[in-house]
Amino acid sequence: MSSEVFIRGMLYMSLTVVGVPGNAAVILAFLLLLYQENRLLPADIIVLHLACVNFLVVVIRCLLESIASLSLASVFGDLSCKAVIFIYRTSRALSIWLTFVLSAYQCLSIAPPGSRWASIRAVVAHYLGFVFLFLWVVNTCMTSAAILFSLGTQKNSSLISHGINVQFCYVHFPSKLSKQANGAAQVGRDVVPMALMTLASIIILVFLYKHNKQVKGLRSSSSGGGGVSGGAERRAAKAVVALVTLYVVLYGVDNGLWVYTLTVRKTMTSSLISDLRIFFSSLYAALSPVVIIASNRKVNRRLRCAVQEKAVKEKASTLTTVRSTDGS
């Protein structure tokens, strides 16, 4: 095993170590919340769905890539390449769009009751399942090329033109035009939610800034509360800024490398470029649960309760064992 392949495997393994337990913890927290309260708010459902698709991104791509790179198992053939690239691209696209849906819903949530935007928020919340279904159908259709054009590396790469080398697999397009058309569609699919998400986040931050000034004005004329509200607003603002910044930076690099891949003169691009693209796009799926856990009080509270309950049960079990030993 070469040092480059080993480093590649360790990088993907690091994403797996962070992303799998992180997304699993977010999923577990919301499932516990659903079990205890028998309901989830629309924003919670969006975050839960986002954690599920991010979990798919990390497991399907990062875990399998690290296993193959470290020569732990042979997992990539023609069929597995088609499945992995298809599921990865679909989950990655859904991760992007769900982050936008979350930002848009938060933007609608600040609308005053009775307004047109508040009515739109209620409609979105009511038909949220159809929104998810629509996103799944559209993104599945847009990534269908992965099933048609993906090949395993055991194929003779010298016979493949207009392809993309992703280390263990090739994505072989029949012509340069089809490669560029597919790439342009993917860039458009990513840039549109990026622009809309940024706009929604700016609206939220402007609203929070103005509302925070109003709260400060009320504090000067009243000795009552307002600190809790202000603290909640600051936490919400930090969460929005962190998620959107993380998204824009990582997917900006990813799409920049993708544009380079489409415009490079070589018929077969280097696997290094593809590796960097996959790494940066998977990095969002691995780090976003960290932001969610740190900023979402519901998730944080449920995870703390679960840890405390586990510690209490282990302590009770230990005491029972000690007592039974002493009694014997």
Side-chain angles (χ1 to χ4, degrees):
M1 181 191 304
S2 66
S3 58
E4 291 182 3
V5 175
F6 177 77
I7 293 173
R8 180 182 186 276
M10 293 306 296
L11 286 174
Y12 279 115
M13 183 61 74
S14 66
L15 293 182
T16 304
V17 169
V18 175
V20 170
N23 285 295
V26 174
I27 295 170
L28 175 62
F30 281 114
L31 291 179
L32 288 173
L33 181 64
L34 178 62
Y35 174 76
Q36 293 170 357
E37 300 184 2
N38 202 30
R39 63 186 288 269
L40 287 176
L41 296 176
D44 297 336
I45 297 174
I46 298 171
V47 176
L48 174 59
H49 201 158
L50 176 62
C52 289
V53 296
N54 283 338
F55 185 83
L56 273 179
V57 169
V58 178
V59 170
I60 293 298
R61 194 75 209 212
C62 299
L63 179 59
L64 294 182
E65 290 281 351
S66 59
I67 289 174
S69 297
L70 299 175
S71 301
L72 300 178
S74 179
V75 294
F76 288 104
D78 280 355
L79 184 60
S80 57
C81 279
K82 292 179 185 294
V84 167
I85 293 177
F86 174 73
I87 296 173
Y88 164 73
R89 288 189 175 182
T90 303
S91 302
R92 172 191 175 278
L94 283 167
S95 177
I96 297 170
W97 278 98
L98 287 170
T99 304
F100 157 67
V101 171
L102 179 62
S103 299
Y105 188 82
Q106 289 176 338
C107 184
L108 293 173
S109 297
I110 65 178
S115 65
R116 180 186 304 175
W117 296 111
S119 301
I120 295 175
R121 180 191 64 199
V123 172
V124 171
H126 183 72
Y127 293 102
L128 197 57
F130 291 100
V131 173
F132 291 156
L133 179 61
F134 174 77
L135 292 178
W136 272 98
V137 171
V138 169
N139 287 290
T140 298
C141 293
M142 291 189 69
T143 54
S144 59
I147 298 178
L148 300 175
F149 304 137
S150 300
L151 301 169
T153 52
Q154 58 265 40
K155 299 293 182 182
N156 190 344
S157 61
S158 62
L159 300 179
I160 298 177
S161 59
H162 309 299
I164 299 172
N165 184 356
V166 286
Q167 187 65 33
F168 296 108
C169 304
Y170 290 120
V171 181
H172 167 52
F173 294 96
S175 65
K176 183 178 180 180
L177 179 62
S178 63
K179 175 184 175 182
Q180 292 178 340
N182 181 266
Q186 289 192 43
V187 172
R189 182 189 61 191
D190 292 353
V191 170
V192 169
M194 181 184 297
L196 295 175
M197 184 194 311
T198 303
L199 177 61
S201 300
I202 290 174
I203 293 173
I204 293 172
L205 292 177
V206 170
F207 173 83
L208 292 176
Y209 173 75
K210 291 182 177 179
H211 188 60
N212 194 39
K213 289 182 67 176
Q214 292 176 356
V215 170
K216 289 181 179 179
L218 291 175
R219 286 177 188 169
S220 63
S221 60
S222 175
S223 59
V228 175
S229 175
E233 291 161 8
R234 286 192 294 271
R235 283 192 298 272
K238 290 178 181 179
V240 170
V241 170
L243 277 176
V244 173
T245 302
L246 188 67
Y247 170 88
V248 171
V249 171
L250 297 181
Y251 279 100
V253 174
D254 173 22
N255 281 290
L257 292 172
W258 180 233
V259 171
Y260 171 79
T261 300
L262 296 174
T263 55
V264 70
R265 292 184 178 180
K266 295 180 181 179
T267 57
M268 176 66 69
T269 55
S270 170
S271 63
L272 175 61
I273 301 298
S274 297
D275 280 339
L276 289 174
R277 285 188 54 242
I278 295 170
F279 179 81
F280 280 106
S281 60
S282 301
L283 192 58
Y284 176 77
L287 294 182
S288 59
V290 178
V291 177
I292 293 171
I293 293 172
S295 60
N296 192 304
R297 302 190 77 178
K298 291 182 180 179
V299 172
N300 203 296
R301 191 181 302 117
R302 289 303 179 282
L303 293 177
R304 286 183 179 181
C305 290
V307 172
Q308 290 173 357
E309 288 176 3
K310 183 179 179 181
V312 170
K313 289 180 180 179
E314 290 179 350
K315 186 176 180 180
S317 177
T318 302
L319 290 174
T320 302
T321 303
V322 172
R323 288 173 182 174
S324 62
T325 303
D326 292 342
S328 62

